[in-house]
């Protein structure tokens, strides 16, 4: 009896030695000729398997600091992600494990073609976590994964840390696989994804280039800073930044505003058939640096003029970015989603009907700026 119980409750029937497992840290998706998909995996291969057939210790992208470990980038091509992954597994003498993926990169060409099918197939793998950071890269994702990062042993680890820092400091939106697929599948809102590219003079030769604006699952355009900042404000992301405000007083110069708080509210009002959307931004900043000698910032009239001028200029800039997104027929602000709340009958209508109604809805942008002098705090 004891022997039978021991055989039935054994917990290591499918265990694999670490020497027989390649841990995937980065996934790259690119468009291949003929409408196929190029799948790139940056993996950590234990040194004991490096001599096996199918594994080369000097492939492009190899790097590593720990003795006995090999860093390689494996590639496979197929009509689907599953087919490409199966081809890679057939050509390797080790188990490819996807449970520790740190970042998923999508090449720009594939992002413009459409990524929903490929990302859905990727998350169908039970080993893949849904909260993995997602980013679009200029050029090919494969080329980024094969870059040498002097700061970290793998490109995937460095990029995941970089994206986490961008999100934490408010410089990029928090977009992972789950968030992207939810925004694509939910009627009334379109996703926005960070775009990375080569950057001269940066720590690892790569930097945030802007925001990719999607319509459904296809990237329509890349907004560069500072337009990317204004779009993030409109979407409700509290991005901290600095602004230079020229002062047209009796003396030349200007001042630097440190923007520390942004609040975005989208409101739809009016009767059916005459509704109007209003995007209201509250922007708060403090004077960080003063470059206009002879201007008394303690004078309420002067501060009022500066605040009014800044409010008018920011209003024009945010309105231009919002109009640009609407011309692309993209809805990163979620106007369609808010419209469905105002008109519950749209829940039963097809998604194209909701998109048309959101595009036809007038949208007005209001920006309210509050500027504090240095040293002033809320009590």
């Amino acid at each position: 009896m004891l022997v039978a119980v021991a055989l039935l409750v054994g917990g290591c029937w499918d265990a694999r030695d670490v020497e027989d497992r390649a841990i995937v840290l980065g996934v790259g998706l690119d468009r291949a000729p003929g409408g196929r998909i190029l799948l790139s995996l940056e993996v950590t291969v234990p040194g004991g398997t490096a001599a096996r057939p199918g594994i080369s210790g000097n492939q492009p992208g190899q790097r590593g600091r720990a003795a006995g470990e090999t860093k390689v980038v494996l590639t496979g091509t197929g009509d689907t992600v599953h087919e490409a992954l199966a081809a890679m597994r057939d050509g390797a003498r080790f188990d490819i494990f996807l449970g520790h993926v740190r970042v998923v990169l999508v090449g720009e060409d594939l992002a413009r073609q459409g990524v929903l099918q490929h990302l859905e197939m990727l998350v169908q793998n039970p080993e893949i976590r849904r909260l993995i950071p997602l980013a679009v890269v200029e050029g090919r994702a494969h080329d980024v994964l094969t870059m040498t990062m002097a700061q970290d042993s793998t490109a995937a680890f460095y990029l995941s840390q970089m994206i986490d820092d961008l999100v934490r400091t408010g410089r990029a939106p928090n977009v992972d696989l789950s968030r992207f697929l939810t925004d694509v599948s939910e009627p009334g809102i379109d996703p926005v994804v960070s775009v990375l590219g080569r950057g001269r003079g940066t720590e690892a030769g790569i930097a945030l280039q802007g925001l990719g604006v999607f319509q459904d699952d296809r990237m329509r355009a890349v907004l560069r800073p500072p337009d990317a900042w204004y779009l993030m404000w409109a979407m409700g992301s509290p991005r901290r930044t600095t602004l230079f405000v020229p002062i047209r007083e009796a003396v030349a110069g200007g001042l630097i505003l440190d923007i520390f708080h942004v609040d975005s509210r989208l409101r739809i009002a009016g009767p059916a058939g005459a509704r109007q959307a209003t995007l209201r931004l509250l922007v708060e900043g403090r004077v960080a640096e003063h470059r206009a000698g002879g201007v008394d910032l303690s004078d309420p009239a002067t501060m009022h003029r500066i605040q009014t001028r800044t409010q008018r200029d920011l209003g024009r800039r945010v309105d231009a970015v919002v109009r640009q997104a609407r011309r692309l027929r993209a809805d990163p602000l979620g106007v369609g989603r808010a419209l469905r709340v105002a008109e519950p009958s749209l829940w039963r209508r097809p998604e194209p009907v909701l998109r048309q109604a959101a595009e036809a809805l007038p949208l007005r942008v209001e920006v309210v700026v509050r500027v504090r002098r240095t040293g002033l705090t809320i009590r």
Side-chain angles (χ1 to χ4, degrees):
M1 177 65 70
L2 293 177
V3 174
V5 172
L7 292 175
L8 292 175
V9 300
C12 298
W13 59 274
D14 64 343
R16 288 181 179 270
D17 293 334
V18 67
E19 290 82 4
D20 296 325
R21 172 166 285 181
I23 299 176
V24 180
L25 298 178
V27 175
L29 301 173
D30 291 298
R31 184 180 181 182
R36 310 186 79 195
I37 184 76
L38 173 65
L39 177 65
S40 303
L41 303 179
E42 186 179 29
V43 303
T44 300
V45 181
T49 63
R52 289 186 173 186
I55 304 178
S56 171
N58 57 0
Q59 293 192 31
Q62 175 190 343
R63 49 200 168 272
R65 294 173 296 189
E69 287 190 351
T70 303
K71 317 292 183 179
V72 297
V73 175
L74 306 177
T75 59
T77 306
D79 293 330
T80 65
V81 171
H82 288 170
E83 184 178 320
L85 183 59
M88 296 170 68
R89 281 178 166 154
D90 290 342
R93 295 283 301 275
F94 52 82
D95 179 51
I96 298 178
F97 181 63
L98 298 169
H100 293 293
V101 174
R102 300 296 301 267
V103 66
V104 174
L105 305 177
V106 178
E108 186 174 358
D109 286 346
L110 182 62
R112 294 185 181 276
Q113 182 187 34
V115 297
L116 178 60
Q117 173 189 358
H118 309 300
L119 293 181
E120 282 184 336
M121 287 190 175
L122 184 63
V123 299
Q124 285 174 9
N125 190 303
E127 297 174 349
I128 287 286
R129 295 177 295 111
R130 273 46 173 188
L131 300 181
I132 302 172
L134 174 69
V136 175
V137 298
E138 295 179 336
R140 297 200 312 166
H142 175 268
D143 297 337
V144 174
L145 287 178
T146 56
M147 291 177 62
T148 300
M149 304 290 178
Q151 298 79 2
D152 290 288
S153 58
T154 66
F157 185 81
Y158 177 85
L159 293 174
S160 67
Q161 294 290 94
M162 172 184 171
I163 294 174
D164 180 70
D165 181 66
L166 291 172
V167 172
R168 179 174 50 82
T169 55
R171 291 174 288 167
N174 186 12
V175 180
D176 51 39
L177 290 177
S178 178
R179 171 72 180 275
F180 181 85
L181 293 176
T182 299
D183 288 348
V184 169
S185 61
E186 180 182 355
I189 188 169
D190 290 317
V192 171
V193 178
S194 299
V195 178
L196 306 178
R198 301 297 178 99
R200 294 182 178 179
T202 58
E203 183 181 17
I206 192 167
L208 178 69
Q209 300 297 325
L211 297 180
V213 180
F214 281 72
Q215 181 194 27
D216 291 328
D217 70 325
R218 301 189 177 198
M219 190 173 72
R220 298 297 307 274
V222 178
L223 293 184
R224 311 288 180 178
D227 290 344
W229 306 344
Y230 304 142
L231 180 62
M232 287 187 60
W233 286 354
M235 293 169 53
S237 298
R239 188 199 190 284
R240 300 174 64 96
T241 187
T242 57
L243 295 175
F244 175 73
V245 181
I247 297 181
R248 303 177 181 88
E249 302 289 339
V251 295
L255 53 86
I256 304 296
L257 294 184
D258 177 23
I259 304 300
F260 60 87
H261 177 73
V262 178
D263 182 67
S264 174
R265 302 289 176 89
L266 179 63
R267 179 172 171 267
I268 295 180
R275 300 189 188 277
Q276 180 173 340
T278 301
L279 177 66
R280 189 175 188 270
L281 287 182
L282 171 61
V283 180
E284 293 185 278
R286 63 174 62 90
V287 178
E289 185 177 348
H290 186 199
R291 296 182 179 177
V295 176
D296 184 10
L297 295 182
S298 64
D299 182 8
T302 300
M303 289 299 297
H304 178 73
R305 287 195 299 271
I306 294 173
Q307 188 168 272
T308 301
R309 185 177 301 123
T310 305
Q311 183 171 289
R312 184 173 60 249
D313 291 344
L314 279 181
R316 285 198 298 261
R317 297 178 186 181
V318 175
D319 183 70
V321 171
V322 171
R323 291 181 182 276
Q324 180 180 357
R326 302 195 83 191
R327 285 195 299 269
L328 297 171
R329 303 194 64 189
D331 191 4
L333 306 180
V335 176
R337 182 169 59 185
L339 184 59
R340 285 208 306 172
V341 175
E343 297 187 21
S345 62
L346 289 173
W347 285 80
R348 299 186 296 271
R349 305 297 297 276
E351 184 176 352
V353 175
L354 173 63
R355 185 175 289 275
Q356 292 176 2
E359 292 174 355
L361 188 69
L363 176 60
R364 183 165 56 95
V365 175
E366 294 181 357
V367 176
V368 177
V369 176
R370 295 175 181 171
V371 180
R372 303 181 197 162
R373 299 194 309 273
T374 303
L376 283 183
T377 58
I378 298 178
R379 297 186 182 275

